[in-house]
Amino acid sequence: MRRLSLAAAAIAAVGVAPLLLTPFQVTLANNIGIAALVTLGLVLLTGIAGLTSFGQAAFVGIGAYAAAYLATVVELPPALAWLGGSPWGGLALGLALALAVAVVLGAVTFRLAGHYLPLGTIAWGLAIAFLFGTADSLGGYTGLSGIPVLSLFGVRFDSGGRLLWLIWAVLLAALLVTANLLDSRQGRAIRALKGGQLMARSMGIDVVRAKMAAFLIAAAFAAIAGWLYAYTQRFVSPAPFSLGAGIEYLFMALIGGAASIWGAVVGAAVFILSKEWLQDLLPHLAGRTGNFEAVVFGLLVIVLMQHMPDGIASAVRRAARRARRPRPPSPAAGDTAAPLPMRAKPRPGEVILDARGITRRFGGLLANDDVSLSVRAGEVLAVIGPNGAGKSTLFNQLSGVDRPTAGTIVFRGQLAAGSSPRAMARHGLARTFQHVRLLPELTVLENAAIGAHLRGRKGLVAAMLRLDRREEAQLLAEARRQLARVGLAARCDDRAGSLPLGQQRLLEIARAVAADPCLLLLDEPAAGLRFEEKQELAGLIDRLRCDGMAVLLVEHDMDFVMGLADRVFVMDFGREIAHGRPADVQADPAVLEAYLGADA
């Protein structure tokens, strides 16, 4: 209902704007709308997915030059002759070229870590801007002029007011589909990238595909903005599509709020209006002309990063939230949705995971030396040992994060050594992390729903057009059920970052269990918890065991483990030193000496 009210208000404002604004103000509004569309792609790519790009202006140039070329060149190559003079042809060509470039660049950089993407976008942004200026067919540095008036469906957009309606209609549509996307399974997959790729892969998310989706949508928005720019200016030249322009779009995202879709509009408006004002004011103050506004914007971004790190839009939203009366929790409408299909449960006592002879070398360091263990359905197996015993290395190999140097891992009857975390998740393994990995700005419910990612099937287009509502209701209902299971039902609408550590660990378990696993790996789940929180956690793990789930946990807290585990596996210096029932292990002289520091 709130979204419909906002949409109605925005449509009404756009409808009356040309009647109330001066021609100059209409021109500014058109420039703001185009810039906001470009910045919206950056918000999705950089602020939400966590992928920094300096090349967004180059995608705008691709869309603009495609439209200008088809609209002005008299004799086109035979393959493009049917598109000549068609604005729709220019739009289609610009989108096709922008998406093709994005696919090539993404394929090269997305599988690499670190700063390869931003460095790559700088490099190809410079290259494409240079191409625009040196290609004779594109008019060189002189550019292409004589672009005719845009005509769509028999309507001529020959005035600033009519162009305002078109530009802002496109922008509002882009805002709507982006909001729809982020409120979906596919949107949560993109958001999960910012929480770390290991977490995302462990939840079954195809990280490369999620990155590519964000990159392609950002490129498409920029290309459409370029098409609108070409028909608004009726002239294109290389300067507006340079690396400097790409940095300006990043400024807009930072000023408005890099993680807020409305921040794209706020940032574009603040930047363009301020730039216009500063270009008039600063030369009078300095006594000479120059690009002094760049210095001011640099200082503005520094101040904003200190006092409003999330941008203006986010700060306003937080202030409005504080001013409002606390709202009651949203109704659990999804609880009436049909349950998601569940995987076949293993038989009680069935061996879920069997690892034999696991050896892992890092150069001359032997982290795991011929380790063998198995986990059965309906039991809790605890792996303990002093720091440096090799527990985390073993845990990473069992969960698919690392590959054994030697040995075999059989998971549910299939060889799994070297399988990816995503493949292990698909076959029924879920895990938590030693250091909690949540998305603090998302709600508790949204974080839990990430765990059910592999249990949905709807794609990007269905999400953007809101055709996934039935499946989305099922996913959210499953997330609510698991939150109720861990005692967090009352916190569904709270931000995950507001929870105390103990409840954050419970949320991680709810997220993992939402995947419907048959094996749950818990990495030091009791670390940092108070006594009461440990008791609550132990009760939860015991309930999961009673439901037939196999649980393997790595833990330091001896008291916690001994009162919970069915079997205990003790490691020291990468090797097994004891294995058996808690009471037997607790009395083992080797354990007393290695783990407790006692003298055997």
Side-chain angles (χ1 to χ4, degrees), residues 248-258 263 266-272 274 295-316 318:
E248 287 187 351
Y249 290 126
L250 274 174
F251 275 11
M252 295 179 199
L254 291 171
I255 291 170
V266 173
V270 170
F271 186 91
I272 289 175
S274 299
V295 178
V296 175
F297 281 122
L299 295 173
L300 175 62
V301 169
I302 292 173
V303 172
L304 278 174
M305 292 303 97
Q306 289 180 333
H307 299 284
M308 292 184 185
D310 297 328
I312 296 173
S314 296
V316 171
R318 283 197 300 271

Side-chain angles (χ1 to χ4, degrees), residues 8 44 47 73 124 135 158 163 193 203 230 234 273 306 328-329 431 452 461-462 492 548 562 597 600:
L44 179 64
V73 175
W124 73 263
D158 53 0
L163 284 168
L193 298 175
M203 297 300 108
R234 298 175 64 186
L273 294 176
Q306 289 180 333
R431 63 166 294 179
V461 175
C492 282
M562 294 304 171

Side-chain angles (χ1 to χ4, degrees), residues 18-154:
L19 307 177
L20 303 177
L21 302 178
T22 66
F24 175 70
Q25 291 170 336
V26 167
T27 299
L28 284 179
N30 289 343
N31 293 338
I32 291 170
I34 292 172
L37 183 57
V38 182
T39 308
L40 179 61
L42 271 181
V43 165
L44 179 64
L45 182 64
T46 300
I48 293 173
L51 307 171
T52 303
S53 173
F54 293 92
Q56 192 76 337
F59 287 125
V60 182
I62 291 173
Y65 268 98
Y69 183 78
L70 290 185
T72 59
V73 175
V74 177
E75 293 185 6
L76 294 172
L80 299 177
W82 63 281
L83 295 175
S86 168
W88 295 115
L91 177 60
L93 179 62
L95 281 171
L97 291 174
L99 294 177
V101 170
V103 167
V104 172
L105 182 66
V108 172
T109 58
F110 283 161
R111 296 183 184 276
L112 303 175
H115 301 290
Y116 287 98
L117 177 62
L119 291 176
T121 57
I122 289 173
W124 73 263
L126 289 170
I128 291 181
F130 179 78
L131 175 64
F132 292 153
T134 56
D136 292 336
S137 60
L138 299 179
Y141 286 100
T142 304
L144 296 173
S145 58
I147 300 173
V149 171
L150 177 62
S151 179
L152 300 174
F153 305 112

